[in-house]
Structures are given as C-alpha cells and as structure tokens.
Amino acid sequence: DVQLQASGGGLVQHGGSLRLSCAASGFTFDDYAIGWFRQAPGKEREGVSCISSNGTKTYYANSVKGRFAISSDNAKNTVYLQMNSLKPEDTAIYYCAADLPGLGFSCPGYIRNLYGMEHWGKGTQVTVSS
C-alpha cells in the first residue's frame, strides 16, 4: 500500500522556520512526483511546492517562492519542505501527496490544480503566530 506520512509541523513565530518531512513507502519513490499542499480554515486547498519524479525539477507557488525549498532524499524515501520567513498567512494544515505522472503531467500542473495527485497522506498543522 502507498503510504505518505507528513510530520514536522508546529507553532512558530512570524519570521521563523520549520522543516516538514514526508516519509513515503509502498511505491517506487523515484517514479513519483511528490507535492506539498496546504489548506487553511475556510479556504480551498492550494498547491505549495512539487518535486518531479526524477528529483531534478522543483516548482513553487508564487506565495512561497523564495521562502520555501523542497528537496528529496531517495535513500530515505523522504521529501522535505524547508519553510523560512514564515508568515501568519502560511498557517494551514500541510499535506504531502504523490502521483505517477501521466504523459505531459508536470509539477506546475499539479500545483496549479490542473490535475490531481492520486495518493495523499494525513496532514501536519503549521501555525505561525504574529
């Protein structure tokens, strides 16, 4: 079974940093695109960042570009989201997701919600105080 476990959330002050982890199992890690998404109370889920199936391409939503960095450790089947310069508007539940990309599928499409990811993990809460 495909399993994704997000961790690393918490309470942090405005301007602080957190690193989220997404531990994956049950599939060939290198073949899948991995994305981070978030959902704030009363708002729709939005794409945050994505790393391509071969780990060579990354993509960020404009709202986090320059502040967040996604990376992967293939040996540990884990994707990380380093979040710096956090703002109160970053407060949300963060989810990681995985998908075996179809022909023409790419990280921008996932983050822009042009198409969805198949596998989702439970989220981790990130709260940024002002």
Side-chain angles (χ1 to χ4, degrees):
D1 290 349
V2 173
Q3 293 191 357
L4 299 163
Q5 181 62 56
S7 62
L11 174 64
V12 64
Q13 290 187 339
H14 188 176
S17 298
L18 282 174
R19 188 177 79 157
L20 305 184
S21 299
C22 176
S25 62
F27 60 95
T28 304
F29 187 74
D30 291 352
D31 291 343
Y32 279 67
I34 308 290
W36 285 98
F37 298 79
R38 66 187 182 187
Q39 188 166 21
K43 295 187 177 181
E44 292 188 355
R45 187 178 65 202
E46 65 170 336
V48 175
S49 182
C50 173
I51 188 164
S52 64
S53 56
N54 55 13
T56 59
K57 297 180 180 179
T58 59
Y59 185 81
Y60 300 92
N62 287 336
S63 58
V64 306
K65 199 173 294 182
R67 300 188 297 122
F68 290 12
I70 192 170
S71 62
S72 65
D73 185 336
N74 287 6
K76 296 182 178 180
N77 281 10
T78 299
V79 170
Y80 303 98
L81 185 69
Q82 178 66 43
M83 306 187 297
N84 300 324
S85 302
L86 282 163
K87 306 174 182 179
E89 51 263 43
D90 294 318
T91 295
I93 300 175
Y94 284 70
Y95 302 87
C96 61
D99 195 54
L100 187 64
L103 184 64
F105 282 29
S106 65
C107 273
Y110 288 120
I111 298 304
R112 295 172 185 168
N113 201 32
L114 299 180
Y115 30 80
M117 289 195 158
E118 181 175 1
H119 306 286
W120 291 80
K122 294 182 180 179
T124 185
Q125 176 72 49
V126 172
T127 303
V128 184
S129 63
S130 57

